[in-house]
Amino acid sequence: MKIRMIIILFFLFFVVTAKGQDYVQSQFDYANNIFGSQHYFDAITEYKRLLFFDLTKAFIYEANFKIGECYKAGGKFDDAIEYFSISELNARNDDEFFESKTQIIRTNILRRTTDRALQLCDELEKDERFSSRTDDINYWRGWSYIFADEWKRAANSFAKINFNHELKKLAAQTDKEKVSVTFAKVISYILPGAGAIYTGNYLSALLSLSWNMLAGYWTVNSFVQDRVFDGFVVGELVWLRFYRGAIYNAEQFAINKNIEVANKSLKFLQNEYKGIKP
Amino acid sequence: MRLFFLIISICACSLSAQSDWAKWEAKQIPYEIPASHQQEYKIDSSDLGMTLISFAHNTYNFFVSDLDGDNCPFYPSCSSFFVLSVKETNIILGTLMFADRFTRDLNFFKGMNRYPIAANGKFIDPPSNYTMHIQKIKFD
Amino acid sequence: MANSLNKTSLLFNNFALIFIFMSASLFAQPDFFSAKYRLEFGNYLYAEKDYLRAFHEFRNVLKTIDNDTIRFRLANSLFKISRMSEAADNFKTLFFGSALSEEARLMFYQSAYFLNDHKWFRELTEQENYQTTKYKNEVERLKSITYFYDKISLPDTNILFKPFHDSVHTRLAKFYKQKKYPQYKSPTAAAVLSSVIPGAGKIYTGEIGDAVAAFLSTAALAYLAVSNFNAEHKFRGWLFTGLTAVFYGGNIYGSAAAAQIYNARIRFNFENEVKLYFEERNYFLPRIDF
């Protein structure tokens, strides 16, 4: 009789657990379906439902990871990082831990909190468990630098993976196309408008140079004709104004030119690059 | 230690539920760096007066303002303030509003005037605050 | 006897077996979308302050189960996510024949208050079929607060302060005074002052730096106009005369505008102060939840 009862209880336990798991699995599949159709808000509801009813916590890693992905897709990076962190804490093996951690890095890249992304890359690199995944770490480090607009460093990171890496070439090319803001300013100190020519703004350069020559002539002429007050007024209010303006403009032109160059590459990365992105 | 972080994270999650108080959709995160404001040369053709004023404003911007650096501490700049003032009122009131703004610009201690400050450090001073319509005055 | 016991035991065992199987199969097939489970999940979300999701769960539950607490929680979820109009409508459904009627009425008034239509809110408080006996005082307090935001004249302090505890009357009296006798500046006076002495109107509105700048710029332009006329430079003389007139007029206009900005700031600061004061104290309302 006892044996019979034990068999019944065992059977009962097995059925309950197995059937329960079936339903939890179904719920996970259902949530994944919604996730697949990009209805991320609703997908979060279903993952939360799964977490609530998954008494054995069989899906605690997957569900939290997916919630993190949903928030990330919705641009809610703080929430995404919170859920990726929970999934990281519930990782059952090194691969899951690494996946969560890289998702946190990727979210930080998109959030443009580059320092944090780099810090996490360094932490992963120091972790002996992931010594075989240095390429992955360097890949995300490269992306972190790209989002921080540091293309030379990005190129160096990608070069560590492969010297001919597609992104290494792109980052190096972008860095090469950029202009020097300091140089643009310095040459404008020497010749007003030179910085504008350096950055390709020829019309502005011509106008700037003209104003400076004209105002310079007025100023010098005033002093030559002993109209000292006029000389000071024109010198301060006109000449110096346009002289300072030429330096300021050179800096702004260089900054804008660099943004333009960076954006051309970023646009390519977002729309045409086939590799894995943050 | 792990448990501590888990508890902290869960607490943070319950606080973060606020971000889901309105339904949201997926959105593409732009990779591109937002470009800084570029001067646009636009002619306001709403009427003859505005066409002439905006033409003069563009000419001033092209030949003077764009070449002499970033001098105006206000947003909108004094010249834009004039155009907007005329558009919002008329040429006479707009000119008076501009003269008042120019005088306030001459004040060395204008930082003490409690102007709201924009992200770029400029004093926010829209013409709508000076149209003598109290309901149009904004402080933020 | 032993045989009989054995038989009974066997029968019991078989019955238990069938029972266990039935309950096992029932237990093993949880429909997470049944009303029971939705309610459990909804309550969890509600506790987690995930109100929009909780609202959706409660709304589905109410299709099969009619329960006042669920209705209240549904309405309160809407209230928490600032969907005040819908919250008010849902609290209304608990007005009659519900144990939560009084609380629902108070929450209805709270929702209506936050719609910021103060005149309409005051009219609502007069509606007999909406009134609450248990929370009459709380609703009266909200009504009193609305007077501080509106342009209408304030009622007598006895009526206005009555629903509040004595301990806050001093503060309310301060608000009352600020509202009834605001320290406004007259735009006309500012304009007249500046027309007499350029910049004087700005001093009146407290803008000393602007006043000095206005006085000096008008004076300098006037000086340049006079000196150019004296030097027989007629064109320059008229040019500076025109500029003096524009700056003089601009200062008069600007002084009037400064007075109006001053007044608007007083009103803005007052409303912020009142709002902050009552918000910090949750409008002297009890925190109701079920």
Side-chain angles (χ1 to χ4, degrees):
Chain A
M1 184 63 71
K2 266 187 181 175
I3 293 166
R4 197 170 158 184
M5 280 308 287
I6 289 165
I7 291 168
I8 290 166
L9 284 173
F10 177 77
F11 180 75
L12 177 65
F13 175 76
F14 175 76
V15 167
V16 169
T17 315
K19 277 279 187 182
Q21 280 310 104
D22 268 4
Y23 280 88
V24 174
Q25 178 66 51
S26 303
Q27 175 63 20
F28 184 57
D29 294 341
Y30 175 59
N32 283 345
N33 259 341
I34 300 174
F35 179 89
S37 57
Q38 299 189 342
H39 293 113
Y40 297 112
F41 183 90
D42 297 327
I44 290 175
T45 311
E46 297 317 319
Y47 287 122
K48 283 192 171 186
R49 197 188 305 276
L50 168 68
L51 282 169
F52 182 70
F53 290 110
D54 178 17
L55 302 175
T56 58
K57 300 199 182 302
F59 288 90
I60 191 165
Y61 170 81
E62 286 86 354
N64 280 302
F65 188 87
K66 283 287 188 185
I67 292 175
E69 283 193 307
C70 290
Y71 278 124
K72 189 177 148 200
K76 295 177 178 297
F77 300 130
D78 295 353
D79 299 293
I81 287 174
E82 277 169 22
Y83 279 93
F84 285 134
S85 302
I86 299 174
S87 73
E88 183 196 317
L89 287 166
N90 289 287
R92 288 157 297 203
N93 53 49
D94 292 348
D95 283 345
E96 286 183 354
F97 180 89
F98 190 82
E99 274 306 305
S100 298
K101 200 83 172 173
T102 44
Q103 277 294 358
I104 295 172
I105 293 170
R106 289 162 71 177
T107 314
N108 270 297
I109 293 171
L110 287 175
R111 196 171 61 168
R112 293 182 194 272
T113 42
T114 314
D115 287 347
R116 181 66 185 142
L118 290 170
Q119 193 187 345
L120 291 170
C121 285
D122 292 345
E123 279 176 23
L124 274 184
E125 199 169 39
K126 280 176 197 160
D127 197 327
E128 283 177 7
R129 288 178 294 170
F130 308 118
S131 53
S132 62
R133 307 193 74 164
T134 325
D135 284 356
D136 288 337
I137 297 165
N138 278 322
Y139 185 77
W140 294 121
R141 189 180 277 131
W143 271 96
S144 305
Y145 283 127
I146 285 177
F147 270 69
D149 203 25
E150 293 184 40
W151 295 85
K152 198 172 184 176
R153 285 181 164 181
N156 291 340
S157 291
F158 292 121
K160 284 180 190 167
I161 305 167
N162 177 354
F163 191 75
N164 291 317
H165 196 285
E166 185 187 358
L167 292 185
K168 184 256 168 184
K169 287 180 189 167
L170 178 82
Q173 181 63 28
T174 310
D175 184 58
K176 201 176 158 189
E177 282 176 27
K178 283 191 157 196
V179 294
S180 162
V181 178
T182 314
F183 181 69
K185 277 176 79 176
V186 168
I187 58 173
S188 292
Y189 273 104
I190 300 160
L191 179 70
I197 293 172
Y198 169 62
T199 55
N201 295 275
Y202 303 110
L203 185 59
S204 175
L206 183 70
L207 289 169
S208 196
L209 188 63
S210 307
W211 266 118
N212 275 281
M213 284 169 67
L214 187 65
Y217 168 75
W218 285 339
T219 309
V220 173
N221 200 34
S222 300
F223 283 114
V224 169
Q225 291 179 0
D226 283 339
R227 288 185 286 114
V228 179
F229 178 74
D230 282 4
F232 275 114
V233 170
V234 175
E236 166 58 28
L237 296 183
V238 187
W239 192 10
L240 268 180
R241 193 178 176 101
F242 283 103
Y243 183 73
R244 281 195 297 261
I247 296 159
Y248 173 83
N249 276 359
E251 185 183 17
Q252 292 305 310
F253 287 144
I255 290 169
N256 288 338
K257 169 95 181 169
N258 288 343
I259 290 176
E260 203 179 293
V261 169
N263 279 348
K264 196 178 120 199
S265 298
L266 288 167
K267 203 171 172 183
F268 167 81
L269 287 170
Q270 180 150 37
N271 302 319
E272 288 168 56
Y273 177 62
K274 301 289 178 216
I276 187 164
K277 303 171 199 178
Chain B
M1 197 53 148
R2 273 188 153 203
L3 189 66
F4 171 75
F5 278 116
L6 184 63
I7 291 164
I8 294 286
S9 304
I10 289 166
C11 290
C13 286
S14 58
L15 286 175
S16 75
Q18 261 198 28
S19 61
D20 285 352
W21 284 6
K23 199 167 177 174
W24 44 265
E25 299 294 332
K27 68 172 183 186
Q28 197 184 31
I29 310 305
Y31 284 14
E32 288 178 51
I33 303 163
S36 60
H37 172 72
Q38 300 276 316
Q39 181 68 51
E40 281 181 37
Y41 299 103
K42 271 188 192 166
I43 297 289
D44 182 345
S45 51
S46 53
D47 59 57
L48 182 64
M50 281 314 297
T51 308
L52 290 173
I53 287 170
S54 59
F55 179 75
H57 183 226
N58 283 328
T59 310
Y60 166 75
N61 277 341
F62 186 77
F63 285 106
V64 181
S65 183
D66 289 353
L67 302 168
D68 68 351
D70 185 23
N71 296 302
C72 189
F74 287 105
Y75 178 80
S77 68
C78 289
S79 58
S80 299
F81 184 93
F82 174 61
V83 178
L84 293 169
S85 301
V86 174
K87 194 174 171 63
E88 199 146 334
T89 56
N90 54 56
I91 184 73
I92 297 166
L93 279 185
T95 308
L96 294 179
M97 283 161 73
F98 169 73
D100 176 57
R101 157 66 94 86
F102 196 82
T103 314
R104 287 185 286 112
D105 191 11
L106 293 176
N107 175 9
F108 286 114
F109 307 103
K110 52 187 158 285
M112 294 163 73
N113 276 29
R114 292 181 286 175
Y115 294 109
I117 295 176
N120 59 3
K122 302 228 178 234
F123 300 125
I124 301 170
D125 186 49
S128 54
N129 279 9
Y130 298 87
T131 54
M132 301 300 286
H133 291 108
I134 201 159
Q135 65 275 16
K136 284 189 181 177
I137 297 173
K138 298 267 181 295
F139 292 112
D140 41 22
Chain C
M1 187 66 178
N3 198 19
S4 169
L5 263 174
N6 230 356
K7 261 189 173 179
T8 316
S9 168
L10 195 67
L11 195 69
F12 176 77
N13 273 341
N14 283 341
F15 180 74
L17 191 65
I18 292 163
F19 179 77
I20 287 166
F21 263 112
M22 278 177 71
S23 44
S25 53
L26 279 174
F27 188 66
Q29 293 185 27
D31 176 7
F32 297 148
F33 297 92
S34 67
K36 178 179 171 274
Y37 284 108
R38 271 190 186 274
L39 180 58
E40 274 183 37
F41 183 50
N43 285 336
Y44 159 76
L45 292 169
Y46 186 81
E48 292 287 308
K49 296 185 168 63
D50 201 344
Y51 294 116
L52 181 58
R53 290 195 176 91
F55 159 71
H56 286 301
E57 296 304 314
F58 292 142
R59 193 174 57 181
N60 275 301
V61 172
L62 284 169
K63 284 178 188 166
T64 40
I65 304 170
D66 194 11
N67 177 296
D68 287 352
T69 311
I70 304 171
R71 277 187 189 283
F72 191 93
R73 285 193 161 193
L74 177 137
N76 207 27
S77 297
L78 289 167
F79 177 81
K80 296 280 188 189
I81 57 177
S82 298
R83 283 162 63 170
M84 298 302 176
S85 187
E86 291 168 81
D89 287 344
N90 279 284
F91 281 123
K92 245 188 206 177
T93 64
L94 289 160
F95 276 13
F96 303 103
S98 165
L100 305 175
S101 169
E102 289 298 312
E103 283 72 20
R105 282 165 196 261
L106 174 64
M107 290 305 293
F108 164 77
Y109 277 115
Q110 274 196 56
S111 311
Y113 173 85
F114 287 114
L115 284 169
N116 289 325
D117 186 345
H118 298 139
K119 187 169 173 271
W120 173 72
F121 179 81
R122 286 192 290 270
E123 283 166 10
L124 269 187
T125 59
E126 305 299 329
Q127 293 247 13
E128 272 186 27
N129 52 341
Y130 289 173
Q131 280 173 5
T132 156
T133 42
K134 190 176 172 186
Y135 297 106
K136 193 171 190 303
N137 218 27
E138 279 76 2
V139 176
E140 282 301 312
R141 278 203 286 263
L142 285 176
K143 188 181 171 186
S144 287
I145 295 168
T146 63
Y147 285 108
F148 288 114
Y149 294 112
D150 278 4
K151 281 179 187 168
I152 55 161
S153 58
L154 288 165
D156 190 73
T157 49
N158 289 332
I159 302 165
L160 200 67
F161 298 175
K162 197 181 161 193
F164 293 94
H165 191 265
D166 280 357
S167 60
V168 296
H169 280 202
T170 314
R171 188 60 189 263
L172 293 178
K174 191 189 156 208
F175 287 148
Y176 186 88
K177 200 178 154 195
Q178 275 177 275
K179 169 84 181 166
K180 192 145 192 175
Y181 310 107
Q183 301 292 301
Y184 285 160
K185 303 279 183 189
S186 158
T188 314
V192 169
L193 282 168
S194 276
S195 65
V196 178
I197 306 168
K202 295 263 183 179
I203 292 177
Y204 169 66
T205 59
E207 309 288 4
I208 312 294
D210 286 353
V212 174
F215 181 80
L216 291 179
S217 57
T218 315
L221 287 168
Y223 168 77
L224 285 170
V226 172
S227 63
N228 273 292
F229 277 125
N230 288 341
E232 298 284 311
H233 297 308
K234 281 196 175 173
F235 174 75
R236 285 194 220 167
W238 283 114
L239 180 71
F240 284 114
T241 305
L243 284 174
T244 310
V246 169
F247 274 75
Y248 174 75
N251 181 239
I252 294 171
Y253 180 87
S255 298
Q260 205 157 49
I261 292 171
Y262 180 92
N263 296 343
R265 185 173 281 122
I266 288 212
R267 208 166 84 183
F268 178 77
N269 289 345
F270 170 73
E271 283 178 5
N272 270 354
E273 204 182 333
V274 170
K275 195 174 173 211
L276 193 70
Y277 178 77
F278 287 113
E279 259 180 15
E280 276 177 353
R281 287 153 185 83
N282 193 38
Y283 296 84
F284 298 102
L285 295 167
R287 292 204 185 270
I288 292 171
D289 212 344
F290 294 101

